[in-house]
Amino acid sequence: MELFLQQIFNGVMLGSTYALVALGLTLVFGILQVPNFAHGHMYMLGAYVCFFLMTVAGFAYWPALAAAALLLAVAGGLLELLVFRPLRNGPHLNAFIAALGALMILENVVTLLWGPRAYRIPNPYPGFLDVYGVMMTPQRLLVIAAAIVLIVLLQLFIKKTKWGGTIEAVAQNSEGARLVGINADRVATMTFAIATALAAVAACLVAPIFLIAPGMGTMVGMKAFVIVILGGLGSIPGAILGGYLLGLIEALGGGYLSAAYKDVYGFGALVLILAIKPTGLFGKEIQDR
Amino acid sequence: MMQWFKRNGWYAAILVSALILPLYVENRYFMQVLNMSCLFAIGALALNLILGCTGQASLAHGGFFAIGAYGVAVMTTSLQWSFWVALPLAALLAAVVGLLVGALALRTRGAYFAIVTLCLGEIIHLVAGNWLAVTGGHNGIMGIPPPDVIPVPFLGAIGFSTLSAQYYLVLSMLLLTLLTMHRLVKSLKGLAFMSIRSNEVLAESLGINSFRTKMTAFAIADFFVALAGGLYASLIGSITPSVASLKITFDFLLFVLLGGVATLAGPVIGAFTIPVLAEWIQFLQDYQMMIYGFLLIIVTIYFPMGLMGGIARIRQKLEKN
């Protein structure tokens, strides 16, 4: 029972980060229709920026996190502007391939600057708590809490503010949005900036728990795609639910079946579900171009 | 005769120079690079069939390369079978796996298919790294023998221990692949592949079974890339799970896209020029991925048809003037 509860806790913690990363991707892929496979690499870059600010520039944890989110928001906007905007009217495949190009560049840059070895960000909240036999660390609890706060904030932004409303308008009907005078270009850049900042925050939150390495982006990016497709393209609740679900699947599968194959379960689930329902669980077909 | 030369002279010239190439290349390292290029050209042609002709971006390509490599490695080391039995069996195995996997994956379309195959490729990569009993885990398999000697009555035997002998082996495999692809693309089946790329719904309304056609293209592509993988394992002599890594898939993608998608010459040109260029700019090795990345982005934005497409466009302009 204790093992079970421990795995549930770990799964929720893992799922919190997945939910944040997938949330960004569902905005970009589901709403702007850009299959940005470099999303996971932006996550990786966010972790490294945070690491740099803390170890070299002498920032404390929270300012470093905020600065990394801001810098990555700029990077995300630039990525949209320079790489994806020229490809907007082409087939999805071209954008996907350009994203592969972008991730090669990002991984290479980070490897050049920091080398291929893994690093650990200094843990701002060391120590641990024992709650009825379940081991918790303050940092892990922080990840869970921060994810919930960010999810609520994003919802408020989209539902209650004018800027957020433009994103929803483009999601519902991009041509209609343009007709009423919404600048689609600006919405695209803004969405990319928000999505990338979310990924950066997720990375900074878990970086003190796990190691950071240049190669970690690919796996995160793939998992985010798995979640977004399972949860239904462009569906924000789907991405959140899918994120927590994948975290739980991995933690329980890793704890009870085999830890070596922990990454296989999520991919296997995706392949199986898509085989049965080729448009994903909540079935919104991607428009073919 | 003259007409034949006019039409096929270029091809004949390239073939002859490919045949006498080992006589002029003295650098052993460079010879090895050429051998690898032949191999990669086979795999790139296979990717071109499914991506270029049929329009389905299979990103499990590196995974199927690895199935061929591990197939040959296991059959020639643990089972002690002859290379000439192991190679076709490994390629067939990849085609069968391709049919099984394709039955699931090909139900999806566009970017979804790319992502599903990416996941499948990653599953193959993880299995290669963790299935200790068969794949040797992260250490991989070492001591894979070179292709067995073929006895020729009265003349002696053909051995494959030298680099130039290996070159002729991979070159003949490449020619075989080119011939098959050429026949395939020009056949009715090839037209069916291309009709699916252009408009799947329209193709179906003409009575083309799009699912079965995609399955065929996928299985053939997997067969040929596994052939390249099997040759790779035998010529290099050892493999690790890195043969299943995404990097291999990206390399193939780069060869096809930079060379020219949906042409026969493009992937071959890509597979030869990029590794040779990479050797030439060896001093920039740390920046290699970055250069590839920039090339990929620039090509998709400005030259979606790659080098061959660019040449065709220039030629059209010249003919107009």
Side-chain angles (χ1 to χ4, degrees), chain B residues 10 19 43 53 55 102 105 139 150 169 208 222 230 234 236 257 259 317:
Chain B
W10 274 108
L19 283 173
C53 299
N139 295 329
I150 306 175
L169 171 67
I208 291 169
D222 297 338
S234 185
I236 295 289
L257 291 168
K317 268 194 187 153

Side-chain angles (χ1 to χ4, degrees), chain A residues 37 96 108 218 225 274-275, chain B residues 104 107 115-116 118 246 286 290:
Chain A
F37 196 63
F96 194 84
N108 199 165
T218 315
F225 267 101
L274 281 185
Chain B
L104 298 177
R107 289 166 50 89
I115 292 154
V116 170
L118 197 70
L246 264 180
D286 289 346
M290 206 189 314

Side-chain angles (χ1 to χ4, degrees), chain B residues 196-228:
Chain B
I196 285 174
R197 179 191 64 196
S198 310
N199 190 332
E200 194 169 336
V201 181
L202 201 60
E204 274 195 334
S205 74
L206 288 174
I208 291 169
N209 184 336
S210 79
F211 184 70
R212 194 184 292 168
T213 311
K214 285 193 283 186
M215 284 281 269
T216 315
F218 191 55
I220 296 173
D222 297 338
F223 179 90
F224 278 100
V225 74
L227 201 67

Side-chain angles (χ1 to χ4, degrees), chain B residues 41-57:
Chain B
I42 298 174
L45 281 168
L47 182 62
N48 184 50
L49 185 72
I50 183 79
L51 171 75
C53 299
T54 323
Q56 312 294 316

Side-chain angles (χ1 to χ4, degrees), chain A residues 64 159 176 280:
Chain A
K159 296 287 177 198

Side-chain angles (χ1 to χ4, degrees), chain B residues 237-294:
Chain B
S238 67
I239 50 170
T240 61
S242 66
V243 291
S245 70
L246 264 180
K247 178 158 189 318
I248 301 281
T249 306
F250 287 172
D251 280 350
F252 283 128
L253 209 57
L254 207 64
F255 299 153
V256 174
L257 291 168
L258 294 192
V261 78
T263 60
L264 279 181
V268 180
I269 292 174
F272 275 90
T273 46
I274 293 167
V276 171
L277 276 182
E279 292 305 324
W280 196 46
I281 53 167
Q282 185 86 49
F283 63 97
L284 290 175
Q285 210 195 1
D286 289 346
Y287 303 86
Q288 196 185 357
M289 287 288 273
M290 206 189 314
I291 296 169
Y292 283 1
F294 275 116

Side-chain angles (χ1 to χ4, degrees), chain B residues 88-219:
Chain B
L89 276 182
L92 271 179
L93 174 72
V96 172
V97 173
L99 283 177
L100 292 175
V101 162
L104 298 177
L106 282 167
R107 289 166 50 89
T108 59
R109 298 205 167 112
Y112 275 30
F113 179 73
I115 292 154
V116 170
T117 47
L118 197 70
C119 289
L120 286 167
E122 198 49 35
I123 291 177
I124 295 174
H125 185 200
L126 287 166
V127 169
N130 290 303
W131 194 11
L132 279 173
V134 173
T135 65
H138 291 283
N139 295 329
I141 299 175
M142 280 183 287
I144 305 161
D148 299 76
V149 174
I150 306 175
V152 182
F154 311 112
L155 288 175
I158 307 173
F160 295 99
S161 51
T162 64
L163 277 174
S164 44
Q166 292 177 355
Y167 171 77
Y168 287 114
L169 171 67
V170 284
L171 183 67
S172 48
M173 288 290 180
L174 172 58
L175 290 175
L176 190 75
T177 311
L178 259 177
L179 192 70
T180 317
M181 292 294 169
H182 180 76
R183 300 282 300 184
L184 201 61
V185 170
K186 297 278 183 254
S187 72
L188 209 57
K189 198 86 209 164
L191 288 179
F193 291 162
M194 282 179 260
S195 72
I196 285 174
R197 179 191 64 196
S198 310
N199 190 332
E200 194 169 336
V201 181
L202 201 60
E204 274 195 334
S205 74
L206 288 174
I208 291 169
N209 184 336
S210 79
F211 184 70
R212 194 184 292 168
T213 311
K214 285 193 283 186
M215 284 281 269
T216 315
F218 191 55

